[in-house]
Amino acid sequence: MSGVFNRSNLKKTIYYLKRNGIRAALAAIRERTQAAYMADYRYQEPEEEELNRQRSRLWENPVVFSILVPAFETPRVFLEQLAASLQAQTYPHWELLIGDASESDGVRQTVALWKDERIRYFPLTQNGGISENSNQLLPKAEGDYVGLLDHDDFLTSDALFHMAMAIERGRQEKREYGFLYSDEDKCDEAGKAFYEPHLKTDFNLDLFLTNNYVCHFLVMKRELIQELGFRKAYDGAQDYDLGLRAVARLMKEGKKAEEAVCHVSGVLYHWRCHASSTAANPESKAYAYEAGKRALEDFLRQQGWQAKVSHMRHVGFYRVDYEGGIFAQRPDVAAMGGKVISRGRIMATAFDPNNEPLYEGLPASYSGYMQRAVLTQDVSCLDMDYWKINPKYEKLIETFSEEIASKEGEDRLVLQKKLCEKLISLGYRLYWDPEWIRRKEER
């Protein structure tokens, strides 16, 4: 239960109490202790046999990764663990770029001890903040993809191998990913105890419009990230701002975001928690949440979608409310579903790509794993008994429904799945909004 009861979560609970009051805090504590999502998690390093298999693989056209690390007075022990995690990679085609904005000489002295030509050190002329410091490093990247690594975090030894494998598979399918991201976990200050894994979904645009769930470990096409750069006005949420603008650029180029962005399943990044880190102390970068809100508002403006963005109870999570309703602003949404409650628990009215019901049986007052049960998101299938159809597509959906039913003679559940698959294949979205609540007894 170490992932539930620790100093980091105590700080988060106190901050949540200050923002939302005692009743909401007690409910959140009840969920955290009773549900205890991933409480038994233990990070397991791959077996040596598997690591050796990865090391022995021959790469015909290897992709090269440039790992960017803006450093500022980084404790030597953190920097050494970071560098060691790169040198332990089973995939050898990488370079580590360290941009040092420190006033002291500690970072330079530490880097000077490493005898690895793949590690490149750049003293920065001034400390301009995370975005400006990163921008000074960006032009120096020479790899095919640029990876973002915080100066106090570190990678698993197989991180770059799995990224390279995903990129290679994509190329075999004639698909060049704009960016890729992996799962992650948190670790204590010593970098020894691991907890709270964030096992992510494949790219989900509307979930991404509620929070930066992509986060770590992210690698992006060098040309794309060098073109976009980081924006100082969004310091604290600069990675979220970058991700949103990258998605906007890919969509503008006519690419479907879900096909141009790749989720690499598996924990590949360890996010260190200490007194000054956002992971451990949400108050340490409260300004970041406002920056994230502004980045999201900017994305919506770029799309021409009129909407209001507001903070949710949990920091770093946002609610987007569209003027006139989502159908008035989003022609890409064919239908929407909501939360149906029966006897105080959520009924399954939406399904994931494996046709598994989402949030079925979860207490209605709970937020779910990583707050997902209270976040808007795209889903693979909606229950036709509990959905609302975009008026623009009523005739289209009715035609599809009749066509599928007449040809297949299918029962309702199979028809429902095939209809949803058809809509998604044509580029439409199925949108789930947990704040559209109905109770079964009211039907």
Side-chain angles (χ1 to χ4, degrees):
M1 296 288 284
S2 60
V4 177
F5 299 106
N6 55 49
R7 183 177 297 177
S8 167
N9 286 330
L10 178 60
K11 288 182 179 179
K12 291 178 181 178
T13 301
I14 293 172
Y15 189 61
Y16 188 89
L17 171 63
K18 290 178 180 177
R19 294 183 72 248
N20 302 302
I22 185 70
R23 181 175 296 181
L26 289 174
I29 291 171
R30 186 184 309 115
E31 177 172 6
R32 177 169 285 276
T33 54
Q34 291 181 354
Y37 305 109
M38 304 292 177
D40 297 327
Y41 170 77
R42 298 289 184 276
Y43 174 72
Q44 184 65 48
E45 183 79 11
E47 297 290 338
E48 192 61 29
E49 182 179 354
E50 169 59 19
L51 295 177
N52 287 332
R53 184 192 69 80
Q54 294 177 13
R55 294 186 187 103
S56 64
R57 192 184 194 283
L58 298 178
W59 300 85
E60 185 175 345
N61 294 300
V63 62
V64 177
F65 295 98
S66 296
I67 308 301
L68 262 58
V69 178
F72 179 74
E73 306 296 357
T74 310
R76 181 168 180 170
V77 64
F78 291 175
L79 206 55
E80 287 178 338
Q81 192 167 16
L82 180 153
S85 78
L86 266 297
Q87 292 176 315
Q89 291 297 308
T90 58
Y91 183 82
H93 307 288
W94 55 265
E95 62 173 0
L96 172 60
L97 281 64
I98 299 176
D100 184 15
S102 306
E103 296 178 0
S104 70
D105 205 30
V107 172
R108 187 196 64 78
Q109 291 179 353
T110 300
V111 176
L113 298 174
W114 305 328
K115 307 302 179 185
D116 192 327
E117 62 182 12
R118 296 173 297 181
I119 299 177
R120 303 164 63 196
Y121 173 82
F122 300 94
L124 304 184
T125 55
Q126 63 178 1
N127 180 24
I130 184 65
S131 293
E132 290 191 359
N133 293 352
S134 298
N135 283 337
Q136 291 183 64
L137 274 179
L138 268 180
K140 305 178 189 306
E142 299 175 354
D144 302 289
Y145 281 81
V146 173
L148 304 179
L149 176 58
D150 290 347
H151 69 157
D152 46 1
D153 300 336
F154 55 104
L155 301 176
T156 66
S157 58
D158 56 345
L160 297 183
F161 175 86
H162 289 297
M163 285 293 179
M165 285 291 292
I167 292 169
E168 184 175 86
R169 284 194 297 268
R171 288 175 173 174
Q172 290 172 353
E173 299 170 359
K174 309 299 182 185
R175 183 182 301 178
E176 192 80 2
Y177 293 120
F179 66 89
L180 305 89
Y181 63 96
S182 74
D183 301 335
E184 63 191 278
D185 64 15
K186 294 176 183 172
C187 66
D188 62 359
E189 188 164 351
K192 300 295 185 183
F194 304 96
Y195 57 96
E196 289 187 12
H198 187 174
L199 308 181
K200 305 168 187 176
T201 68
D202 286 349
F203 188 73
N204 187 309
L205 176 62
D206 283 291
L207 185 61
F208 194 46
L209 300 186
T210 68
N211 76 109
N212 183 19
Y213 80 89
V214 165
C215 205
H216 309 302
F217 173 47
L218 179 143
V219 302
M220 186 174 290
K221 281 287 292 182
R222 176 172 56 84
E223 296 85 355
L224 179 59
I225 194 172
Q226 287 180 335
E227 178 185 347
L228 295 174
F230 295 89
R231 300 196 291 185
K232 182 175 177 58
Y234 298 89
D235 269 4
Q238 71 283 341
D239 292 354
Y240 191 28
D241 175 57
L242 172 68
L244 288 166
R245 287 184 294 126
V247 170
R249 176 58 54 85
L250 293 169
M251 291 169 63
K252 187 176 181 180
E253 293 173 355
K255 299 174 182 176
K256 189 174 181 180
E258 288 78 3
E259 296 177 354
V261 179
C262 178
H263 167 223
V264 180
S265 181
V267 170
L268 304 182
Y269 189 103
H270 299 308
W271 190 2
R272 192 190 308 268
C273 294
H274 53 88
S276 61
S277 72
T278 312
N281 182 7
E283 288 187 278
S284 66
K285 291 185 179 178
Y287 68 92
Y289 308 122
E290 282 300 326
K293 179 175 180 287
R294 288 187 283 107
L296 181 51
E297 290 168 338
D298 185 60
F299 174 87
L300 296 169
R301 281 194 297 270
Q302 288 185 56
Q303 302 307 310
W305 299 339
Q306 298 179 23
K308 177 183 177 182
V309 179
S310 55
H311 294 283
M312 298 186 69
R313 284 185 172 181
H314 291 275
V315 294
F317 293 85
Y318 308 98
R319 167 79 188 178
V320 178
D321 288 295
Y322 296 91
E323 292 185 18
I326 191 168
F327 296 148
Q329 301 294 332
R330 298 278 301 274
D332 58 324
V333 175
M336 67 171 288
K339 185 181 288 184
V340 176
I341 299 172
S342 177
R343 299 179 181 178
R345 294 183 178 270
I346 300 173
M347 289 179 56
T349 59
F351 304 85
D352 69 11
N354 297 319
N355 210 34
E356 293 294 326
L358 293 175
Y359 318 120
E360 183 175 36
L362 187 72
S365 61
Y366 281 18
S367 298
Y369 177 63
M370 294 296 170
Q371 324 307 327
R372 289 179 197 159
V374 295
L375 303 176
T376 57
Q377 57 205 269
D378 302 319
V379 295
S380 294
C381 187
L382 289 170
D383 189 328
M384 294 185 295
D385 286 336
Y386 300 99
W387 74 356
K388 186 186 297 183
I389 298 172
N390 188 329
K392 301 183 186 72
Y393 306 125
E394 285 181 348
K395 290 290 185 183
L396 177 68
I397 290 175
E398 182 180 338
T399 299
F400 286 160
S401 180
E402 291 175 352
E403 178 183 336
I404 293 171
S406 64
K407 287 185 178 180
E408 306 291 343
E410 307 283 8
D411 62 33
R412 186 171 179 78
L413 290 177
V414 175
L415 167 64
Q416 171 180 289
K417 183 178 179 181
K418 288 194 173 184
L419 176 55
C420 290
E421 287 175 347
K422 180 75 171 178
L423 291 169
I424 291 173
S425 72
L426 293 173
Y428 297 111
R429 299 184 187 281
L430 303 175
Y431 182 85
W432 189 76
D433 183 352
E435 290 197 11
W436 183 37
I437 299 175
R438 288 181 291 174
R439 302 186 183 279
K440 186 178 180 184
E441 295 77 14
E442 297 172 356
R443 287 189 63 247

